[in-house]
Amino acid sequence: LSNENLATGEPLYHQVADRIARLIVGGTYRAGHRVPSVRRLSGQYRVSVSTVLEAYRLLEDRGVLEARPQSGYYVRSQERPPEPLKTTSCSEATELDVSTMVLNVLRESNRKELVPFGAAVPSPSFLPTSRLNRILAQEVRRDPNTSQSYDAVPGLPSLRIQIARRALEAGVTLTPDEIITTSGAQEAVQLCLRAVTRPGDTVAVESPTYFGLLEALESLHVKALEIATDPRTGICLDDLEEALDKEGIAAVVLVPSFGNPLGHCMPVDRRKRLAEMLRRFQVPLIEDDVYGELAFTPRRPPAVKAFDTSGDVLLCSSFSKTLAPGYRIGWAAPGRHFRRVELLKYSASVSTATPTQMAVAAFLAGGGFDRYLRRLRRTYRDLMQRLAAAIGDHFPEGTRVSRPEGGHVLWVELPSGADSLKLHAAALRHGISIAPGPLFSATGRYRNFMRLNGAVPWSERVEDAVVTLGRLVREQLGARES
Ligand SMILES: Cc1ncc(COP(=O)(O)O)c(C=O)c1O
């Protein structure tokens, strides 16, 4: 074992943990078996006792091992709850009426004292908060005049250069003048939708889909057509093709990489087929990529925009999930719709706030972002595994949990008869927030589903919250039966 794997930058204890994990996957150690003692493995691998301890603690965090006092580390049962099944398509587009429900639920969920499973917001403890804030202060001191001026409509040139360079990782070739910075991905998606739709139009969406997209459609008086979506591979392209053929779809809006709430990731061949299909039907795609950089695999998937040859893919993203949600820095690369989006941006908010653009640009230019992202992705992967395992331990039979390969949300299907809106109200009384399933549908589906945010530091309080949620679900189901 080398001190640090140069290819991946993995610290030594990660390598030890990965080796042990391989032995467990391969059956050398099975559920209930005791793994070698810390001292013994330290001798076998010729690494320090503290490295083995760190590795075992990491595997404990991932839910792979459990420590038994006075006895050692044991392999946990890896039986994970089954995954939710592929959903179904709606036959008709729906006029939306979700905003009030979303606002009411979110207003209550944002209270600081709650265990924050509700909003898909990373805990500030995972983000480089103090470094970013320091850079913000340095930047506004360095260039006070720029920091307090209106920026050009498409955004700060230095930030757009950094965004264009990062887009290469997604297989997308962009120049800075093809990018418009926005107040978060929400504004980017909203502007792109406005650019390609008119009131009364229909837009095809994944089902379930992120409620912010549904709210954007509602505000534009655009209808949503829910298309079947697989929790692993994303939107059903056959159903989408049928809808494009029959329904007069004005645009498609998708989150192909680690979608919210399913966490699905569309395989590359399907991305190519999607791009080809939309070109054939001449229908624009708004691709929301806010989780694209949070893959659990070494490389992120290519964006669908990487396969766009007509300029009809409008790529949107932000730094909300990777750096700072409160900085409100997002962006759009609207392809051939650039001018229209630029005009709309001007009429909506003139330009994006300058100081936070300066800070994010300087942070990215300073280097180290990829290294930090690698750590963040490992953290999210471990926490999500741990959360899924805890749900498996504490929720009733019949519960299903998604297995995302990126992002930081889990989609949980409760046994039929459970009601996540009532669960939301009961959970709040116990100091826990959740996002109930119906928020993610234009037609009130997913009553017995909920989305949980996994980017929460693990603690006894968090584990207790999972136990409490499991108990509340049991109580609901019991009350129905009696
Ligand atoms: C899929 C998706 N798109 C957009 C957003 C909004 O991102 P931003 O905070 O950058 O506006 C979110 C936030 O949860 C999201 O999950």
Side-chain angles (χ1 to χ4, degrees), residues 24-47:
I24 294 167
V25 171
T28 309
Y29 295 101
R30 293 180 186 278
H33 288 177
R34 191 158 70 101
V35 291
S37 71
V38 172
R39 210 156 277 290
R40 182 146 192 193
L41 196 72
S42 130
Q44 287 167 337
Y45 279 175
R46 296 189 169 74
V47 295

Side-chain angles (χ1 to χ4, degrees), residues 173-455:
T173 307
L174 287 176
T175 58
D177 52 9
E178 292 174 291
I179 294 167
I180 297 172
T181 63
T182 56
S183 175
Q186 185 67 23
E187 190 189 37
V189 168
Q190 171 93 15
L191 296 176
C192 289
L193 275 170
R194 264 181 84 188
V196 298
T197 60
R198 279 182 305 210
D201 278 351
T202 293
V203 165
V205 299
E206 291 147 337
S207 182
T209 192
Y210 172 52
F211 48 77
L213 303 181
L214 297 176
E215 288 181 292
L217 294 174
E218 183 176 331
S219 74
L220 300 173
H221 304 286
V222 168
K223 288 184 266 186
L225 179 66
E226 294 183 66
I227 304 284
T229 304
D230 184 278
R232 281 285 176 102
T233 57
I235 195 161
C236 172
L237 293 184
D238 290 341
D239 284 15
L240 180 62
E241 187 159 18
E242 200 175 305
L244 288 168
D245 208 21
K246 284 201 316 224
E247 307 275 344
I249 304 282
V252 180
V253 53
L254 300 179
V255 190
S257 301
F258 321 117
N260 176 0
L262 286 177
H264 58 267
C265 183
M266 184 182 275
V268 175
D269 55 339
R270 292 194 190 206
R271 290 175 192 246
K272 288 184 187 160
R273 183 178 156 208
L274 173 65
E276 180 281 315
M277 202 160 97
L278 293 169
R279 195 162 48 242
R280 188 155 32 90
F281 285 97
Q282 297 186 343
V283 170
L285 167 68
I286 293 153
E287 179 178 16
D288 179 345
D289 190 48
V290 280
Y291 298 101
E293 297 206 294
L294 292 176
F296 300 156
T297 46
R299 297 214 59 171
R300 61 148 298 158
V304 178
K305 186 156 179 81
F307 309 108
D308 173 31
T309 53
S310 62
D312 255 336
V313 178
L314 299 87
L315 181 63
C316 301
S317 191
S318 78
F319 294 95
S320 298
K321 309 297 171 187
T322 51
L323 268 185
Y327 274 45
R328 307 306 301 132
I329 298 299
W331 54 274
R336 69 183 189 85
H337 305 277
F338 184 92
R339 289 283 162 239
R340 177 101 185 102
V341 174
E342 186 183 25
L343 272 174
L344 291 169
K345 168 69 188 174
Y346 183 66
S347 78
S349 57
V350 182
S351 61
T352 303
T354 315
T356 47
Q357 288 192 83
M358 292 166 75
V360 172
F363 184 96
L364 295 174
F369 187 61
D370 284 311
R371 202 181 167 85
Y372 147 74
L373 264 189
R374 269 200 297 275
R375 213 176 36 239
L376 187 70
R377 283 161 17 198
R378 275 202 298 265
T379 304
Y380 286 170
R381 179 195 61 191
D382 294 349
L383 285 167
M384 301 271 278
Q385 282 180 4
R386 181 118 199 206
L387 181 56
I391 293 169
D393 287 346
H394 301 296
F395 275 55
E397 186 85 18
T399 301
R400 293 172 177 267
V401 182
S402 61
R403 282 182 207 173
E405 284 173 31
H408 57 74
V409 295
L410 281 185
W411 183 237
V412 183
E413 177 177 356
L414 304 170
S416 69
D419 181 333
S420 60
L421 286 170
K422 286 189 183 147
L423 181 67
H424 158 71
L428 278 181
R429 290 195 288 276
H430 287 82
I432 306 161
S433 68
I434 62 161
L439 264 57
F440 301 86
S441 166
T443 52
R445 292 168 157 192
Y446 309 119
R447 191 88 189 194
N448 61 318
F449 289 76
M450 64 176 172
R451 185 198 67 185
L452 297 184
N453 173 34

Side-chain angles (χ1 to χ4, degrees), residues 98-107 211-212 215 438-440:
V98 291
S99 295
T100 313
M101 173 172 61
V102 171
L103 208 64
N104 285 343
V105 168
L106 292 190
R107 192 181 296 125
F211 48 77
E215 288 181 292
L439 264 57
F440 301 86

